[in-house]
Amino acid sequence: MKRPTISEIAARAGVSIGAVSYALNGRPGVSAETRRRILRIADEIGWRPSVAARSLSGSRAHSVGLVIARPADTLGAEPFFMRFIAGLEGQLSRQHIGLLLQVVDDHPAAIEAMRRCWAERRVDGMILTDLWTEDTRIPVVEQLGIPAVLVGGPRAESRLPSVWTDDTEAVTAAVDYLVALGHRRIARVAGLPALEHTQVRISAFRAAVHAHDLPEPQVVETDYTWEAGVRATRTLLSRRDRPTAVMYDNDVMAAAALNVAQEMSLAVPDDLSVVAGDDSQLCVLVRPALTALARDIQAYGVHTAQVMMDVVDGRSPSSQPDQPTSLVVRASTAGPG
Amino acid sequence: MKRPTISEIAARAGVSIGAVSYALNGRPGVSAETRRRILRIADEIGWRPSVAARSLSGSRAHSVGLVIARPADTLGAEPFFMRFIAGLEGQLSRQHIGLLLQVVDDHPAAIEAMRRCWAERRVDGMILTDLWTEDTRIPVVEQLGIPAVLVGGPRAESRLPSVWTDDTEAVTAAVDYLVALGHRRIARVAGLPALEHTQVRISAFRAAVHAHDLPEPQVVETDYTWEAGVRATRTLLSRRDRPTAVMYDNDVMAAAALNVAQEMSLAVPDDLSVVAGDDSQLCVLVRPALTALARDIQAYGVHTAQVMMDVVDGRSPSSQPDQPTSLVVRASTAGPG
DNA sequence: CTGAAAGCGCTTACAG
DNA sequence: CTGAAAGCGCTTACAG
C-alpha cells in the first residue's frame, strides 16, 4: 500500500509542493480557491503529513514520552497508571501528539531510556511520575534541557513545572474526619519512604494529629503490597495502646487490614476504622466497603497533558495543583467502640 | 542543549558523513581503525541517530502502535493491560523499537487512530487486542496493508499472524477439575459476548460439560463488571436446580460472587465452588481466596513483541499459541456439599 | 499570490 | 577503503 505524499497532491492540484504545504498548514500565500482544492485532494487520497519529514524540517517530534519506573509485576495491581495514561493520551491525541511509553525497573534505567529517547529526537518532552524525595532523574532532565513536567511536586531544587495533588489538604481532611468521629489514637500505614508524596503525607498526618492535641501517632512505612499491609496492621494492632483508626496509603493495604482485623477478632468499623488512600473498585468490593480518599485520575492525566503541551510550545507554565481530593465515606469508618 | 548530529562526528573524526554512517551501522567500507575512532567519538558526545532522519531515508518508523479500544473508566480495573504493555515494551525496547500507545473508546475511533498513525508514518506496525467475533478493524488493517499482529485468534477470515492463548484447553481443564470434585451442575458467567474469546470459552465450556454427559449448563453473558457479576450470580443461585459450581470469566465477577453467596447464606466452597477466569491480586485478597485460571501476561506481551518484530522485518511469522494457562487451586473450590 | 530552492539528518548506491 | 551526491517528505525564507 503506497502512502501518498505531498508531491502527489501538488501534481494533482497542478501547483508546487510549497503551495501545498502552505495550504495545508493554514498559512498565507495561497488563494482561498486553491487552498480549498488542495485540502479536498488531500482528504480524498487520505493524505497525512509524514511525522518524520515534519520532524526533520520543523525540529519537533510531535510526541512526548512517559517512562514508568516500576518493577513490572507491581504495575498490574496499580490502577493509577492506566487511568492516568487514558487521560493523558486522550488529551495529547487531540493535539496530534503521540505518547511514547516505556516501562523500566528503576531510575538508572529510566535515565538511560530518557537520554536515548531525547538524543534520538523521538520526543519533544518527558513526563516524570512517582517522584522521589531525592530524585536523580530531575538533574539529568534539567542538564539535558529536556522540556518536562513533574507529576507531583513542585520542588525547591527544580524550576520544572509540576502538576500536583494537594496531599496535605487531603490527609488533613481525613484526620479531621476521624477525630470528629471521636478517634484519638490514629495510626498511618505509609507507602514507599523514598517517594516524595509519602513524606508529604506523613508530615501532613503528623501535623494534623498534633493540631488536635493528640499524642504522637504511630507511622509505619511500607512498599504498598498486601503483605506489607498485613504486617504493618498486625504490628499496630498488637500494641497495648492500639489505634482505633488507621489510614493506609493505598487501597490494597487497607483491604489487607480488613483480613487482619478479622483474624484478630476486631470488628471493622466498631473496633477499628480503616481509611484507604486510593479509591478503586477494590474499595467497594470488600466488606465492609472502604472509606477512601478519591480523586479523578483521568482528569489528572488530562491536566498533565495540557501542561506538557504548554511546556513544549514554550509557554512556560507555572506549577499548578490538580483538583482537590475528596473523602468518600463508606462502611469502614465509625466512631470508636 | 544542542543535540549532536552525524556531521559533528564526521568533523571531529575528519571523515565524510557517509563514512560515519557506514561505521555506525556496521557496514563494510571503513577501516577497523577509523570505525573504532568514529564509534568512540559518537559515544563520547552521546550521539544517537535522529529517528526522524532515519525514518525518512530508511522508510522505517522504528515504532509500533497499540490502540486500546475501551472506555477509559474500565481500564483501571483491568490489570491485563499494564502487564501486557510492560512485557511488550520491554521486548521492543531491546530492539530499539518505540511503543506508541493510544487509548480510544470504540472500534470506529480505533480505526481512525490507526489510519492516521499509519498515514503519518509514525509506526511500522500495529498490535490489535480484544478481538471481536466480527471485528471491523481487521479488514481495514488488511486493506491498508498495515503489518499487524492479532492478540487472540487466529481467524479464518484473516491471514494476519496472531499470538493466542489456548482458552479451550484452559476451560476444559477447569471443567474437568470441577467434575472430578463431584460437581454435576456447573454454570458459566461469561464476559462480553462480542469478544471472540468469550465465544470460544463458552463453546469450550459447553463441549467439556457435554463430554462428561452432564445436562446442558447455564451460561450468562456479562460486561465483566462487579454489578454484572452480582446480577448473574443472583440469577443462577435463585434457580431451583442451582449450580454447585460457577466459572467466571474474570476475577472481579468471581469476587462479587463471594458477596452474593454470603448474602444468600451459601457457604463457599461448601455450597458453591467459584472459579475466577483471571488470576490477580484480588483472587488472593478476598476470603476465601479464589481458585483461578492463571497465565503469565507479561510473557504474553514479550511473545507478541517478538512476533510483531518478525512481521515488521518481513519474516512472515505464523500464528502461534502462547504458554498454556494453568489452574491455580485455592480455597474457593471443593466437592459439592 | 506563486514557484524554485535550500535545508533538516540521515542512508545508500555510485564513482574514484 | 573513502568521498561526493542524491534522495527520503516535508517546511520555510526568498525571489518573482
Side-chain angles (χ1 to χ4, degrees), chain B residues 204-320:
Chain B
F205 174 70
R206 289 221 161 92
V209 167
H210 292 157
H212 288 287
D213 287 325
L214 301 179
E216 183 65 25
Q218 297 293 314
V219 173
V220 186
E221 291 173 342
T222 68
D223 60 2
Y224 293 116
T225 59
W226 172 264
E227 293 74 22
V230 167
R231 241 173 298 135
T233 306
R234 281 206 187 114
T235 305
L236 289 172
L237 297 185
S238 304
R239 296 174 60 94
R240 222 161 15 113
D241 58 340
R242 64 173 173 76
T244 58
V246 182
M247 293 175 53
Y248 291 83
D249 215 343
N250 71 350
D251 49 351
V252 168
M253 295 193 295
L258 297 183
N259 284 10
V260 172
Q262 196 177 12
E263 271 173 29
M264 299 178 78
S265 305
L266 294 171
V268 175
D270 294 337
D271 301 324
L272 177 71
S273 282
V274 173
V275 177
D278 293 319
D279 194 19
S280 72
Q281 192 166 38
L282 179 57
C283 293
V284 296
L285 141 184
V286 292
R287 288 296 175 267
L290 293 165
T291 293
L293 288 169
R295 50 188 177 151
D296 186 339
I297 294 169
Q298 203 181 335
Y300 196 18
V302 170
H303 191 171
T304 302
Q306 285 162 337
V307 175
M308 179 82 260
M309 293 182 307
D310 284 349
V311 171
V312 167
D313 292 341
R315 286 193 291 274
S316 310
S318 57
S319 292
Q320 44 202 276

Side-chain angles (χ1 to χ4, degrees), chain B residues 41-100:
Chain B
I41 295 173
D43 194 51
E44 270 173 27
I45 65 177
W47 177 88
R48 302 248 80 229
S50 149
V51 271
R54 283 216 296 162
S55 299
L56 203 51
S57 52
S59 66
R60 282 277 271 273
H62 304 280
S63 285
V64 300
L66 172 63
V67 181
I68 299 178
R70 289 222 184 177
D73 47 313
T74 72
L75 264 175
E78 176 60 277
F80 178 85
F81 277 107
M82 269 326 290
R83 291 200 193 152
F84 183 75
I85 289 171
L88 184 68
E89 200 285 320
Q91 185 61 23
L92 290 173
S93 74
R94 225 154 282 150
Q95 313 294 323
H96 309 313
I97 308 287
L99 176 66
L100 204 70

